């Protein structure tokens, strides 16, 4: 995948979630759901379909569960963002940020942080 | 629940994917649903479920697509790898599945044959189980007996009890725990809905107690509730009636319903079941009368033996009482005995038992033929793989490895066949139950249950082992070198194998011949039954019952009846309408002793017993009974004023052989009231008790213009199909009096058809099994010859090259193919001669060794077998020696 390509929104959100910590599927869905106020609901098929393709594309890798992790049943697989994934996510974020700047310069919104 | 569905849907995914993230997806799905639920909203929840399902289906489709793409690249390595990892049995199954896929047509043929075999066997077994083997719905049914009388002097081997004899047996016996009788009648139910004729059973309290049943609501009759003064106005409802009319409302207990204009208080509801419990709608107490009738045989007796009392002991006890009664009442009880029938014979009589066992035997034979065909197909496959097997044996596969593989293959086919067979059986059974063949009791209750499943699984297991064993044991282990040398060419040179296949063909032909003979005998019997001279005509005729309330009283009753008959007869569609005192072609009729007045009595000889009916003038016309001599009745003739009668032809021949009976006097109710009666006419005989029984002796009395009966039995002859005039008949009766219920409308055609329904069904089933067996056997004949011709093409080429004529070679080959057919036919003939004797009671008008049937079956088999041989052999005619020689 080339970095200039637009990331699908849910890929972007998954990468965003994984940017600072390794997580398993359930936690990813929950995080994305909370952050988007329920607008992006990752159903299981969509999530694992995406994760599989992202692994193939080298954006994330599967990783062992952290030692401290205790779960109810089975051992869920954790995902870790790769350096490539991090760059892709950043590229997408700055692409979106450019639109925010435009919106700001046209006085549609206030600059983030100054609200 | 939802999760279980989800798990099911997840199975759409490839196994690897499911293993990787299946459980996580389930957990996540549950979490997502919970979240959606928290969000609330009326439509949110079902929408969320739908979203989840769409999501996972899309995911599965994607995963499958990915898998197909990657498979095409690396199938081989992957499957080899997984083969090494998995246990032996899975490896065998996978191998067998691959073989099945490699030869799809052959596999389909095998599965189809097994499905047919197992399916029809399972369906028939389920009927046998439901009708013959399933226990009765009564506790400790082995202590239940049906008590009947016997009167050998009148040729009655089993007859209903009389009221007086029942009470005597009831009071004096010491071996019965309880004993009761039942008589069927009918009531008119009035109330909120339209008046309805319902069937009623009068029972003494001992009857239901003998059956040992518990009510589903309320209570049953208690001891003493058959005494006058206590039992009036009590009723117990049957489960069927309770469900149909009162929507199974338990609140009905204690309420009152109106029967024949009188209130009855509902005591309770019977459990469902047959026999008897569901055959009546309402059960009322049979009240004990001070002067019971001793001469009228109408009651069905059922008793429960005391614990540890044998049926023989009870019979001895009751027979002793019967002897005492004979001495006490010589006029009515002379020669009267008692017989007991164990409860297992209640549901199905001997005839039906035999029919069902014969059908089961036939269908098992069909299964055998199917098995043989499958075996021979598997054998062909094994032969074509002989070289491969030999190589594997040489590389170290043990004999048990190869045998296990063959058995796995055949068992796998059997399993698939059984699954298909189960489905087929369920369809066949549904069709059968929908037909509701009259004469097969409990057929509506027949289901595919655990016993049937066990049977089907066992059948499949046996089939699997049978079909697998022969090819398995012939695995070429003994002589690897020979197998390697010859096996590769797939030649039929193996003499043992060719002998085996001919043996198969012979067996199949033998079995098919036995089945065809059975079917042929039944076909001839049915034709015989349908073409007997039944005496009456059935076209465009129907019978119906109109119930007139007894409260109408004498003149109004007769007027109403008269009006109904007159108005029916006046309808433009109706040629003749008549009333009769008891319904024709139904069981239970009135009888009398008859003798000629001008002949001396033969002492000790039994008095002939004839049925009698009171009829209105047009009865003979309505039934289509030709008047052979004398005259029919007119409206001026009235019974007993003076005594005049019309008798049937057989009666006339019996009383006055070779003489003209018209004007002669007969003594009727001989031995009882001895009434001299003038004979004014003779009509044709009528086969009343079914087409297969001899016509009854019959005496007819004139009713004058009308009947004064409360239950008016009518016979109507229309000039177009009877079913189409029912509406206008109903309209006429309603016009006379709208409160009269019309019931039991049946066309005579229907009655005749129903009386042969079981016979017809048996015949069609056996014919179907026989035809299937024949087709399978012919496939075997064809296969063997086609195989041997293809293997001998080179040899034939040599012969042709050396100057043999094509025709001559063709003849030789066909003869070669017919040898096992002839052997099989001879064996089958011998077996059929023995086995057909089992069917002798099922036949009508022919003997089990009916030469015409045997000749026809033999001819048919010879002709079609010759065709099956000719078709593959025909290739020889077109064979060019120069090409044939090169096939090597």
């Amino acid at each position: 995948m080339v970095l200039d390509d637009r990331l699908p929104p849910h890929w972007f959100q998954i990468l965003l979630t994984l940017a600072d910590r390794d997580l398993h599927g359930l936690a990813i869905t929950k995080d994305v759901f909370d952050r988007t106020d329920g607008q992006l609901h990752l159903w299981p098929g969509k999530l694992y379909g995406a994760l599989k393709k992202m692994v193939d594309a080298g954006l994330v890798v599967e990783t062992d569960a952290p030692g401290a992790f205790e779960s109810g049943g089975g051992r869920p697989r954790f995902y870790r963002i790769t350096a490539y994934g991090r760059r892709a996510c950043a590229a997408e974020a700055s692409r979106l940020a450019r639109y925010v700047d435009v919106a700001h310069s046209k006085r549609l919104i206030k600059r983030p942080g100054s609200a | 629940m939802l999760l279980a569905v989800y798990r099911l849907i997840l199975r759409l995914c490839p196994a690897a994917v499911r293993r990787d993230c299946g459980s996580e997806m389930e957990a996540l799905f549950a979490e997502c649903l919970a979240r959606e639920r928290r969000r609330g909203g009326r439509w949110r929840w079902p929408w969320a479920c739908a979203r989840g399902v769409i999501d996972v289906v899309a995911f599965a489709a994607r995963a499958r697509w990915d898998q197909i793409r990657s498979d095409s690249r690396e199938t081989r390595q992957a499957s080899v790898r997984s083969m090494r990892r998995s246990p032996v049995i899975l490896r065998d199954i996978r191998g067998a599945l691959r073989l099945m896929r490699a030869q799809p047509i052959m596999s389909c043929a095998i599965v189809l044959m097994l499905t047919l075999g197992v399916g029809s066997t399972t369906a028939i077994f389920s009927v046998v189980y439901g009708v013959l083997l399933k226990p009765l719905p009564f506790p400790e049914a082995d202590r239940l007996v049906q008590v009947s009388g016997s009167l050998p002097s009148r040729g009655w081997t089993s007859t209903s009890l009389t009221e007086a004899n029942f009470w005597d047996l009831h009071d004096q016996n010491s071996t019965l725990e309880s004993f009761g009788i039942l008589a069927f009648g009918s009531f008119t139910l009035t109330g909120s809905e339209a008046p309805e004729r319902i069937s009623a059973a009068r029972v003494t309290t001992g009857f239901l107690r003998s059956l040992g049943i518990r009510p589903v609501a309320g209570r049953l009759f208690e001891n003493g509730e058959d005494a006058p003064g206590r039992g009036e106005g009590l009723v117990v409802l049957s489960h069927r009636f309770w469900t149909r009319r009162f929507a199974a409302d338990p609140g009905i207990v204690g309420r009152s319903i109106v029967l024949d204009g009188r209130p009855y208080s509902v005591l309770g509801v019977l459990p469902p079941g047959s026999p008897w419990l569901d055959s009546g709608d309402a059960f009322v107490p049979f009240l004990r009368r001070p002067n019971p009738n001793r001469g009228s045989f109408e009651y069905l007796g059922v008793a429960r033996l005391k614990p540890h009392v044998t049926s023989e002991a009870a019979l001895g006890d009751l027979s002793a009482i019967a002897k005492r009664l004979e001495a006490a009442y010589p006029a009515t009880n002379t020669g009267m005995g008692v017989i007991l029938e164990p409860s297992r014979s209640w549901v199905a009589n001997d005839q039906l038992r035999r029919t069902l066992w014969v059908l089961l035997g036939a269908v098992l034979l069909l299964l055998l033929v199917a098995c043989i065909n499958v075996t021979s197909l598997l054998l062909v496959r094994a032969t074509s793989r002989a070289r491969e097997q030999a190589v594997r044996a040489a590389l170290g596969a043990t004999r048990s490895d190869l045998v296990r593989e063959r058995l796995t293959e055949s068992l796998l086919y059997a399993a698939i066949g059984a699954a298909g067979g189960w489905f087929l059986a369920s369809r066949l059974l549904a069709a059968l139950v929908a037909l509701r063949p009259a004469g097969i009791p409990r057929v509506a209750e027949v289901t595919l249950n655990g016993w049937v499943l066990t049977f089907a699984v066992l059948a499949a297991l046996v089939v699997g082992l049978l079909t697998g064993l022969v090819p398995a044991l012939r695995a070429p282990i003994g002589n690897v070198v020979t197998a390697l040398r010859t096996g590769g060419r797939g030649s039929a040179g193996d003499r043992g194998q060719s002998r085996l296949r001919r043996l198969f063909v012979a067996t199949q032909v033998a079995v098919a011949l036995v089945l065809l003979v059975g079917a042929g005998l039944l076909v001839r019997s049915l034709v015989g039954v349908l073409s007997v001279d039944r005496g009456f005509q059935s076209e465009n005729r129907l019978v119906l019952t109109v119930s007139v309330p007894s409260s109408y009283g004498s003149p109004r009753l007769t007027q109403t009846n008269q009006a109904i008959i007159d108005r029916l007869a006046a309808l433009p569609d109706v040629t003749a309408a008549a009333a009769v005192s008891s319904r024709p072609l139904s069981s239970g009729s009135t009888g009398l002793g008859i003798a000629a007045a001008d002949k001396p009595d033969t002492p000790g000889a039994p008095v002939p017993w004839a049925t009698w009916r009171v009829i209105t003038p047009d009865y003979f016309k309505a039934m289509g009974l030709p008047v052979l001599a004398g005259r029919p009745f007119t409206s001026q003739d009235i019974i007993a004023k003076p005594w005049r009668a019309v008798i049937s032809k057989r009666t006339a021949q019996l009383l006055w052989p070779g003489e003209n009976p018209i004007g002669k006097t007969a003594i009727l109710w001989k031995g009882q009231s001895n009434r001299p009666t003038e004979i004014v006419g003779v009509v044709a005989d009528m086969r009343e008790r079914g087409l297969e029984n001899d016509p009854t002796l019959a005496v007819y009395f004139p009713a004058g213009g009308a009947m004064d009966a409360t239950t008016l039995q009518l016979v109507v002859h229309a000039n177009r199909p009877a079913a189409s005039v029912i509406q206008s008949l109903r309209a006429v009766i309603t016009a006379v009096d709208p409160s009269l219920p019309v019931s039991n409308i049946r066309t005579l055609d229907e009655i005749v058809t129903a009386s042969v329904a079981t016979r017809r069904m048996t015949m069609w089933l056996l014919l179907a099994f026989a035809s299937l067996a024949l087709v399978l056997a012919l496939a075997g004949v064809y296969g063997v010859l086609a195989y041997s011709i293809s293997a001998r093409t080179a040899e034939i080429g040599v012969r042709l090259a050396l100057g043999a004529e094509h025709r001559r070679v063709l003849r030789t080959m066909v003869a070669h193919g017919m040898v096992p057919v002839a052997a099989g036919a001879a064996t089958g003939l011998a077996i059929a001669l023995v086995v057909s004797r089992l069917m002798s009671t099922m036949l009508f008008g022919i003997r089990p060794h009916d030469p015409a049937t045997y000749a026809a079956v033999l001819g048919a088999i010879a002709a079609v077998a010759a065709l099956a041989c000719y078709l593959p052999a025909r290739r020889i005619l077109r064979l060019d020696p120069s090409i044939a020689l090169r096939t090597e």
Side-chain angles (χ1 to χ4, degrees), chain A residues 24-26 29-30 33-34 37-39 41-49 52-53 62 75-77 79, chain B residues 6 17 20-21 24-29 31-33 35-36 39 48-49 51-52 55-56 59 62 66:
Chain A
H24 54 86
L26 199 113
T29 305
K30 194 166 162 352
F33 186 85
D34 290 345
D37 291 331
Q39 283 177 2
H41 198 166
L42 290 174
W43 287 89
K46 195 163 182 182
L47 174 71
Y48 285 98
K52 181 171 184 299
K53 276 190 225 145
E62 285 184 32
R75 285 195 3 188
R77 288 170 313 163
Y79 294 87
Chain B
Y6 194 75
V17 173
D20 272 356
C21 50
E24 285 177 55
M25 287 181 69
E26 274 174 47
L28 185 51
F29 176 68
E31 175 69 25
C32 290
L33 279 184
R35 200 177 297 137
E36 291 288 346
R39 281 214 235 175
C49 293
R51 276 280 296 277
D55 169 77
V56 68
F59 175 74
R62 182 92 218 174
D66 288 351

Side-chain angles (χ1 to χ4, degrees), chain B residues 503-518:
Chain B
L503 180 67
F504 282 171
V505 166
T507 316
Q508 288 178 317
V509 169
V511 171
L513 185 131
V514 170
L515 289 178
L516 275 178
V517 164

